[in-house]
Amino acid sequence: LRQAIAAAVAGEAIDGLEVTVNDRVLALTARPLASGGAVLAFFDLTPVRKLETVRSDFVANVSHELKTPLTVVGGFAETLADEALDPETRRQFASAILANTRRMQRIVDDLLDLSRIESGGWTPNPVAVHLQGVAEEALGSARPRAETKGISLRVDVEPPGLAVHADPTALRQVLANLVDNAVRHTSSGEVVVQGRPERGGVSVTVRDTGAGIRPEHLERIFERFYRVDTARSREEGGTGLGLAIVKHLVEAHGGRARASSEVDQGTAIEVWFPGGAQHAEH
Ligand SMILES: Nc1ncnc2c1ncn2[C@@H]1O[C@H](COP(=O)(O)OP(=O)(O)O)[C@@H](O)[C@H]1O
Ligand SMILES: [Mg+2]
């Protein structure tokens, strides 16, 4: 930078020279002045560069996520083509192919969801949604798994008629994701869906008494493909995109999503939607 400034002051014209100053990438353009000295213009390229990194990381992640199941499918299909296989092995290979195909399907579905929301191709259609009802629905689909694990499920909405101003489908998707995560990471205790009017909107919190998330992971769990335990998440059918979808859905409503957690105590994921709060007619 010093060299470039010296050259500019000495009368040299500079066009968009990239210089890095304390982690910032700047483009420098300079023109000498007839009266001596020079005019220097800096354009901060840092946000653009950051976006480029995010994009290429994302492409690398997607490729990696799809590559693993694709390799499995390819391998098993090749072996299946061997007609000498006994029917039982054949059946096993076919079911492995099916499982990995489903996995790719889930990833692609989640990616499409995410890009639809992000590109603005989808906008929420908010109405007054009776929170108690959708919360019970979300817990209902998780009940069989929770019962096997001995976890109790509870809705705690106060006042009982509390309404969220949200797109009903989006709110269901948000709750389904949060409850699924909570039940998955809890081995005893309970999962609670809590609803309260707050700051001119409604705050909905899914709280569990599970394993918790360490602080260094906590700030990253809303990122696409970020998991604390990647192998375990994959095994359990997770795509690592659930919370990214949650965040985008909530923010499309002008709301906010945030997480708090204590290792071995549990996790609370709160989503806040503006508006609503009036009592819904059932
Ligand atoms: N309630 C929770 N308790 C503990 N860890 C959680 C909880 N919810 C999310 N996580 C962590 O955040 C990661 C990202 O969540 P998510 O985006 O839903 O992806 P996944 O497909 O793995 O569920 C999970 O892999 C998990 O490590
Ligand atoms: Mg999830």
Side-chain angles (χ1 to χ4, degrees):
L1 177 67
R2 202 157 291 162
Q3 236 175 1
I5 293 176
V9 172
E12 200 179 305
I14 298 171
D15 284 298
L17 175 73
E18 277 190 35
V19 286
T20 306
V21 184
N22 302 335
D23 289 345
R24 302 204 78 82
V25 183
L26 305 173
L28 168 63
T29 299
R31 288 288 177 275
L33 291 174
S35 54
V39 178
L40 280 69
F42 292 93
F43 184 72
D44 192 352
L45 290 175
T46 318
V48 180
R49 288 287 178 274
K50 213 182 214 161
L51 212 64
E52 284 168 1
T53 314
V54 168
R55 188 172 323 161
S56 67
D57 284 357
F58 180 63
V59 171
N61 275 330
V62 172
S63 313
H64 179 74
E65 292 293 332
L66 291 175
K67 200 175 167 170
T68 315
L70 205 50
T71 306
V72 176
V73 167
F76 279 113
E78 214 168 278
T79 325
L80 261 188
D82 174 2
E83 286 177 16
L85 284 178
D86 62 278
E88 174 54 22
T89 316
R90 216 168 246 282
R91 209 190 45 76
Q92 274 175 11
F93 284 11
S95 84
I97 289 175
L98 198 57
N100 281 276
T101 309
R102 289 213 177 102
R103 155 149 206 81
M104 289 189 277
Q105 185 70 56
R106 270 199 306 274
I107 295 171
V108 171
D109 284 347
D110 279 359
L111 281 172
L112 286 174
D113 263 7
L114 205 53
S115 83
R116 211 161 35 93
I117 308 163
E118 262 187 314
S119 67
W122 174 86
T123 44
N125 212 340
V127 295
V129 188
H130 186 232
L131 181 57
Q132 179 89 26
V134 287
E136 270 162 15
E137 243 176 69
L139 291 182
S141 8
R143 203 165 294 279
R145 256 179 321 136
E147 266 166 15
T148 325
K149 297 177 89 173
I151 308 165
S152 60
L153 304 175
R154 184 160 66 84
V155 177
D156 166 24
V157 172
E158 205 56 61
L162 188 65
V164 184
H165 190 62
D167 186 287
T169 312
L171 181 62
R172 280 194 190 94
Q173 195 174 356
V174 165
L175 286 179
N177 263 306
L178 297 182
V179 168
D180 174 72
N181 281 347
V183 171
R184 201 128 54 84
H185 293 97
T186 304
S187 50
S188 68
E190 61 173 6
V191 171
V192 184
V193 181
Q194 199 177 61
R196 294 287 184 273
E198 208 179 293
R199 288 170 285 135
V202 173
S203 140
V204 183
T205 306
V206 177
R207 201 182 298 280
D208 66 58
T209 55
I213 305 166
R214 290 216 305 277
E216 67 266 32
H217 296 300
L218 195 59
E219 51 193 60
R220 303 199 56 190
I221 56 170
F222 290 102
E223 291 173 21
R224 296 177 281 205
F225 294 121
Y226 191 85
R227 295 107 146 186
V228 176
D229 184 342
T230 310
R232 187 183 147 184
S233 160
R234 288 213 185 101
E235 208 168 283
E236 291 172 336
T239 59
L241 294 170
L243 287 180
I245 292 175
V246 165
K247 181 171 184 272
H248 279 93
L249 284 175
V250 174
E251 288 179 355
H253 287 79
R256 288 280 165 270
R258 67 169 184 212
S260 59
S261 186
E262 192 97 36
V263 173
D264 291 336
Q265 300 296 307
T267 303
I269 311 281
E270 182 199 350
V271 291
W272 175 83
F273 293 86
Q278 80 277 19
H279 295 218
E281 300 141 38
H282 299 12

